Amino acid sequence: MNSSSDLHVRYVAQLARLKLSEEEACRYQEQLEQIVRYIEQIRKLDVRGIEPTAHVVERVNPMRADDPAPSLSPDDATANAPLRAEHLFMVPKVVE
Amino acid sequence: MNYEAVIGLEVHVQLRTRTKMFCACANTFGAPPNTQTCPVCLGLPGALPSPNFEALRLTALTGLMLGGAIAPRCKFDRKNYFYPDVSKNYQISQYDLPICVGGELVLPRENYPKDAQKTVEESRRIRLVRIHLEEDVAKSFHFEAATGVDFNRAGAPLMEIVTQPDLRSPEEAFAFLSTLRLVLLYGGVSDADMEKGQLRCDCNVSVRPVDQEELGAKVEIKNMNSISGVRRALAHEIERQMDVARNGGRIAQETRRWDEAAGATFGMRSKEMAHDYRYFPEPDLLPVVVDSWIDEVRRAVPELPVARKERLMRRLGVGESNAEVLVADRELADWFEKAAATTKNANGVANFVVNDLLRELGAAGKPLVESPIAPEALGALVDLADAGRISSSQAKEVFAEMFRSGRAADEIVVERGMEQVSDTDAIGKLCDEVLAVNAAMVAQIREGNVKAVGNLVGQVMKRSQGKANPAMVNAALKEKLGI
């Protein structure tokens, strides 16, 4: 994990496509460092012998059989699109 | 200085399931835009994913077929990035605990490009890093002023197979993909049609001096839609990199796009920042534990092409080139084995399947399932020829009629009065008749013109209306003429 000094709010904001003012960036940087310091307390715990887990519940393998169900109509599917054409979601041109 | 190429592949395979990875929308190709979507695969807020067991089963099956280790426990993660084809702003994938680790694929000579097979020296073993499961993204259509997005493909189960950088030439990459595709088809894992985007491949390629251990700067090539396209793209890119290296230049680490029409790769607009996907465990999905179902998958592992070819050759006596053609198509090999089970002469059946059946099907534009000849019926034809009841050219004629009408071989033989006469007395009698009316020719033969016997054989055949066994006629005449 990054130490607090490595985590720059500007970088995180860019990854999240957030536009921050200078004042916001300063304030959030401070808050972010507080959060990271808090997490670092957890890092001090002795977790030897404890199996890592990504979930707190005991359940595993909730799965679905491969049976199709009806989909939305293309009109409904694209109803909220700001722009649509021929049932396609239209977005600003993507340049590769 | 001599350079060598180092190639690793990332192969994406669309799995053959009825529904998508995390929702019950149909997983089919070619439907009208956005007709196979729901709140889950559109990424609407609050929609929750539910994993498709069949997709996990097929991925585990692939791992077992390729000799990988199936992880007792795996999980899903979110790969975060912004792009119009991922409406949730993350793709559900597997990061640190993939379903399968390791494995390998041996490249048989016959899966190399035809023109390169002669120079293949040894069976190359290509090691795999991992196989994981993720969801496919939506399909984009680029127009003049905008991009249109169709979410039918979004959320389709997508398996990613990552190789070690073990490949050394475009021809090996070609052989790897051909071999892998066949394994996938044998397992029923995917239809693996590259034109439909069911098998997609990114190539990582670099060059280095042959005596150097360290890898050169890696270039990733995207946008390849055929196995021969991969070969061409790699050949071009390796040449380009070697040119740069020989001229003392520096190869930039970048992503390039293969342009099939131009026959060249082009640099893609590179992002200034390195990718940071901020992977983290998908909180909406629980871990997957395989112990309760993996044994069943293990039992479903089919005989693979390499083993099948060996068996057809060793156990059934099929010739190598026939075996290669048969094994390259699982359905064809299955059809052949059904036919071969009805006769002792499996290679005789193989000859008819590889030469005659494939030619006739091709000419008629029919798929194998529509073959007018049932596999069980072909064995009877081979037996008739082997027993000497019809000649080999008659067998071809009967085959053509079987293909035309779907009727049984013995029925056609009887109806056309083809049955070959192998009765020594009957043949002897016909020979005597012919010798009696050809006194002059008999004299010539006795004086040494042995070639003229052929003419007499022809006359006997004619008198028998083509039914006499030609080899027996020849022998009988020679005996009677004392030569």
Side-chain angles (χ1 to χ4, degrees):
Chain A
M1 190 191 274
N2 294 325
S3 74
S4 57
S5 59
D6 286 340
L7 203 51
H8 295 292
V9 82
R10 284 277 178 211
Y11 176 66
V12 177
Q14 191 179 353
L15 286 175
R17 305 291 190 272
L18 294 173
K19 205 179 215 172
L20 299 182
S21 69
E22 200 54 46
E23 187 244 344
E24 283 170 323
C26 278
R27 190 163 79 237
Y28 294 144
Q29 181 70 42
E30 206 170 294
Q31 291 178 357
L32 190 65
E33 282 170 16
Q34 273 173 20
I35 294 165
V36 173
R37 274 198 295 277
Y38 174 67
I39 290 167
E40 279 184 343
Q41 287 182 32
I42 298 174
R43 292 177 75 190
K44 289 179 186 144
L45 284 173
D46 183 359
V47 291
R48 276 174 297 182
I50 298 173
E51 200 158 318
T53 179
H55 287 272
V56 289
V57 289
E58 295 280 316
R59 275 190 73 198
V60 293
N61 288 2
M63 286 198 254
R64 179 173 57 79
D66 192 23
D67 300 321
S71 295
L72 296 174
S73 75
D75 283 328
D76 285 346
T78 55
N80 291 334
L83 190 64
R84 58 174 167 167
E86 316 259 329
H87 288 139
L88 290 171
F89 292 87
M90 299 307 286
V91 299
K93 190 174 165 76
V94 177
V95 186
E96 283 191 332
Chain B
M1 195 185 293
N2 280 327
Y3 288 87
E4 71 170 355
V6 178
I7 303 163
L9 303 177
E10 287 167 27
V11 186
H12 286 95
V13 181
Q14 267 185 13
L15 298 176
R16 193 163 82 178
T17 58
R18 298 172 69 207
T19 68
K20 292 188 182 182
M21 186 61 232
F22 297 114
C23 64
C25 287
N27 177 31
T28 50
F29 177 84
N34 290 309
T35 52
Q36 293 170 352
T37 67
C38 74
V40 174
C41 56
L42 287 171
L44 301 189
L48 289 173
S50 173
N52 182 347
F53 174 65
E54 180 64 6
L56 281 147
R57 196 188 72 80
L58 292 174
T59 307
L61 178 65
T62 306
L64 292 171
M65 288 193 296
L66 298 172
I70 305 301
R73 190 184 181 93
C74 67
K75 70 172 170 72
F76 290 101
D77 301 277
R78 290 186 180 182
K79 176 182 182 178
N80 300 278
Y81 65 99
F82 292 94
Y83 209 75
D85 61 12
V86 214
S87 54
K88 301 192 295 294
N89 296 336
Y90 60 85
Q91 179 190 26
I92 304 178
S93 181
Q94 295 191 293
Y95 182 55
D96 56 340
L97 296 175
I99 189 164
C100 175
V101 177
E104 64 170 25
L105 193 59
V106 177
L107 311 183
R109 184 184 43 79
E110 64 265 26
N111 290 348
Y112 281 75
K114 288 260 180 301
D115 58 286
Q117 290 182 2
K118 271 189 193 149
T119 56
V120 178
E121 283 163 15
E122 37 159 4
S123 297
R124 293 268 287 125
R125 265 167 208 282
I126 307 305
R127 294 167 301 152
L128 305 180
V129 178
R130 60 186 272 164
I131 302 174
H132 71 249
L133 189 52
E134 59 190 28
E135 55 177 345
D136 208 343
V137 297
K139 191 163 171 43
S140 304
F141 298 89
H142 301 292
F143 303 112
E144 190 93 353
T147 293
V149 190
D150 170 13
F151 281 81
N152 284 348
R153 196 182 70 181
L158 195 65
M159 176 172 68
E160 181 170 335
I161 302 171
V162 183
T163 76
Q164 296 280 4
D166 283 353
L167 297 156
R168 292 290 175 269
S169 69
E171 289 68 37
E172 286 183 8
F174 180 103
F176 178 88
L177 290 169
S178 308
T179 309
L180 177 66
R181 184 170 176 276
L182 205 49
V183 170
L184 296 170
L185 290 171
Y186 263 59
V189 168
S190 173
D191 293 328
D193 186 338
M194 278 190 102
E195 277 179 17
K196 291 181 181 169
Q198 291 164 336
L199 186 67
R200 313 199 286 270
C201 172
D202 296 336
C203 303
N204 292 307
V205 54
S206 59
V207 298
R208 64 180 175 193
V210 281
D211 53 357
Q212 183 182 307
E213 188 75 18
E214 194 191 336
L215 294 169
K218 183 178 80 176
V219 168
E220 183 178 7
I221 319 175
K222 288 184 176 289
N223 194 37
M224 270 150 324
N225 51 19
S226 73
I227 294 178
S228 47
V230 169
R231 182 190 183 192
R232 284 193 293 275
L234 281 170
H236 164 84
E237 177 60 19
I238 290 167
E239 200 47 48
R240 185 190 74 84
Q241 289 187 20
M242 285 185 179
D243 267 358
V244 174
R246 283 194 198 103
N247 293 318
R250 201 181 66 85
I251 293 148
Q253 178 151 345
E254 61 174 343
T255 301
R256 295 177 75 84
R257 183 176 56 85
W258 167 245
D259 186 327
E260 183 74 57
T265 62
F266 296 97
M268 289 167 78
R269 181 176 293 193
S270 61
K271 301 187 177 77
E272 284 155 32
M273 243 181 344
H275 287 297
D276 182 346
Y277 292 121
R278 295 158 294 143
Y279 282 97
F280 64 84
E282 165 60 270
D284 292 340
L285 290 166
L286 290 169
V288 173
V289 172
V290 304
D291 60 0
S292 60
W293 50 271
I294 196 68
D295 285 340
E296 213 180 306
V297 182
R298 235 175 260 284
R299 283 192 291 276
V301 173
E303 180 186 37
L304 294 179
V306 171
R308 189 172 205 177
K309 183 185 151 196
E310 279 296 305
R311 182 172 58 80
L312 293 190
M313 289 172 63
R314 297 253 159 96
R315 301 262 292 273
L316 296 179
V318 175
E320 183 167 11
S321 59
N322 278 346
E324 280 169 12
V325 175
L326 292 171
V327 162
D329 179 343
R330 183 182 182 175
E331 270 179 66
L332 186 68
D334 289 346
W335 197 100
F336 159 76
E337 290 208 46
K338 267 191 216 158
T342 64
T343 169
K344 281 193 177 132
N345 182 0
N347 198 47
V349 171
N351 283 333
F352 270 111
V353 172
V354 169
N355 302 317
D356 304 79
L357 183 65
L358 288 183
R359 185 193 58 240
E360 295 294 333
L361 286 172
K366 283 185 178 175
L368 182 63
V369 286
E370 285 174 31
S371 164
I373 303 179
E376 294 79 9
L378 188 56
L381 173 62
V382 172
D383 284 345
L384 281 171
D386 284 352
R389 288 177 59 195
I390 52 175
S391 68
S392 58
S393 62
Q394 283 174 322
K396 297 261 179 201
E397 192 185 327
V398 174
F399 180 90
E401 178 57 23
M402 287 170 80
F403 192 89
R404 204 186 58 77
S405 63
R407 288 163 62 208
D410 51 359
E411 213 180 296
I412 296 165
V413 167
V414 169
E415 186 193 84
R416 299 202 170 181
M418 275 176 167
E419 197 144 0
Q420 195 163 263
V421 175
S422 299
D423 174 344
T424 325
D425 291 342
I427 287 175
K429 196 166 159 263
L430 288 171
C431 290
D432 288 338
E433 287 170 27
V434 168
L435 292 174
V437 296
N438 284 285
M441 203 178 284
V442 168
Q444 278 178 29
I445 293 168
R446 290 204 164 120
E447 277 161 27
N449 183 10
V450 180
K451 274 189 190 163
V453 175
N455 183 299
L456 297 178
V457 171
Q459 290 192 43
V460 174
M461 292 304 292
K462 203 171 170 192
R463 274 176 190 252
S464 77
Q465 290 162 320
K467 289 186 229 167
N469 181 324
M472 289 179 70
V473 171
N474 196 38
L477 282 172
K478 282 185 173 169
E479 198 195 315
K480 285 175 194 298
L481 291 164
I483 55 170

